[in-house]
Amino acid sequence: MDEIKTLRQENQSLRAEVTKKIAEAKLESSDRAIDYTTSTVNNIFYIITAAASLLVLLGWRSLNDIKKSLKIDMAKKIQTLTSDYESRLQQVEVKMTERSKVIIETQKNITDTNSIHSLWMRAGLEKSDEDKISVYDEILSIKPDDIEAMTYKADALLEIGEIRWALDLTNNATELDHEYALAYWQRACAYSKMDKPADALKDIKKAIELSDTLEEELLNEKHFENLHENKAFKLLVSKT
C-alpha cells in the first residue's frame, strides 16, 4: 500500500510538472506569437506611414510643379496677348495718324481752294494792275506753283512796264507746265516788248500749237505791235 501511495504521489508530481511545462511552453508560444504579431503590425504601420509620407511629399511636389507650370503657361499666354494687343494698337494708331493727316490736308486744301476762288473773284473786280498784282501775290502765297496766277501776274506786269519781271514769271511757268499755252503766249509778249522777234515767234507758234483758239488773238494782242511788220509774223497771220 505504501508503494502504491508513493507511486501515486510521484505520478501526481510528474503530472503537475508536465502540466507546468506544458503551460510554460504554451505561454512561451503565446508570447512569441504576440511578439511576432506586434512586430508585424509595427512593420506594416511603419511601411504604411513611410508610403503615406512619400505619397504626400510626391503629391505636394506634383502640386507645386502644376502650380509652376500653370504660372509659366499663364505668363506666356498673357505675354502673347499683350504683344498682339500692342501690335493691334500700333496699327490702329498708324491708321488714325494717317487718317488725321489726310483729314487735315483735305481741310487745308478745301480752305485754300475757297480762298483762292475768292481771290480770283476779287482780282476780276480790281481796276488797277497794281491791285491785281497784289491779289495774284496772295494766290501765289497760298499756292506757289499756281501757273495761271503766274501767267496773269506776268500780263499785269507787262501792263505796268515790268517786262523783265514778267519774263522771269513766264519762264517759271513754262518750266512747271510745258503744256500751258497761255504761259508761252505771255512770254512771247515779253520777248516782243524786248525786241526779240525770233524768240517771240517761237513762243507764239508753241502757244498756237497747244491752243489753236489763240490764233484769233494774233492781231488783237497789243504787245505784238512790234511784230506787225515782221515777215514771219505776217506769214503766220496769213496762215491763220
Side-chain angles (χ1 to χ4, degrees), residues 7 61 67 75 104 111 121 135 140 143 193 205 219:
L7 182 60
R61 289 181 181 176
K67 288 181 180 180
I104 292 171
T111 303
M121 293 182 65
V135 175
L140 290 171
K143 189 179 179 183
K193 297 285 285 184
K205 291 177 182 178
L219 292 176

Side-chain angles (χ1 to χ4, degrees), residues 13-61:
S13 297
L14 180 60
R15 182 181 294 176
E17 186 177 353
V18 170
T19 300
K20 182 181 179 182
K21 287 185 178 181
I22 291 170
E24 289 178 356
K26 286 182 179 181
L27 183 60
E28 185 178 355
S29 177
S30 297
D31 290 340
R32 288 181 179 177
I34 290 170
D35 290 339
Y36 178 77
T37 301
T38 303
S39 299
T40 302
V41 170
N42 289 335
N43 290 334
I44 292 173
F45 178 75
Y46 292 148
I47 291 170
I48 292 171
T49 303
S53 300
L54 183 61
L55 288 174
V56 170
L57 291 174
L58 291 175
W60 180 253
R61 289 181 181 176

Side-chain angles (χ1 to χ4, degrees), residues 9 57 60 114 117 121 133 147 153 170 175 214 228:
Q9 289 177 350
L57 291 174
W60 180 253
N114 291 335
H117 178 69
M121 293 182 65
I133 290 171
I147 310 299
K153 181 180 177 180
T170 53
E175 287 177 3
L214 292 173
H228 285 179

Side-chain angles (χ1 to χ4, degrees), residues 109-124:
N109 289 336
I110 293 172
T111 303
D112 290 346
T113 300
N114 291 335
S115 298
I116 290 172
H117 178 69
S118 299
L119 288 169
W120 276 112
M121 293 182 65
R122 185 177 138 200

Side-chain angles (χ1 to χ4, degrees), residues 30-97:
S30 297
D31 290 340
R32 288 181 179 177
I34 290 170
D35 290 339
Y36 178 77
T37 301
T38 303
S39 299
T40 302
V41 170
N42 289 335
N43 290 334
I44 292 173
F45 178 75
Y46 292 148
I47 291 170
I48 292 171
T49 303
S53 300
L54 183 61
L55 288 174
V56 170
L57 291 174
L58 291 175
W60 180 253
R61 289 181 181 176
S62 298
L63 288 174
N64 284 336
D65 292 340
I66 291 171
K67 288 181 180 180
K68 289 180 181 178
S69 178
L70 287 173
K71 287 181 179 179
I72 292 171
D73 290 341
M74 288 298 294
K76 288 181 179 178
K77 288 182 180 179
I78 291 171
Q79 185 176 2
T80 301
L81 289 173
T82 303
S83 299
D84 184 50
Y85 184 70
E86 288 179 352
S87 177
R88 290 183 181 182
L89 279 179
Q90 288 177 355
Q91 292 176 1
V92 171
E93 184 178 357
V94 170
K95 289 182 180 179
M96 290 299 292
T97 302

Side-chain angles (χ1 to χ4, degrees), residues 5-16:
K5 185 180 180 181
T6 301
L7 182 60
R8 184 181 293 173
Q9 289 177 350
E10 289 177 358
N11 189 20
Q12 289 179 352
S13 297
L14 180 60
R15 182 181 294 176

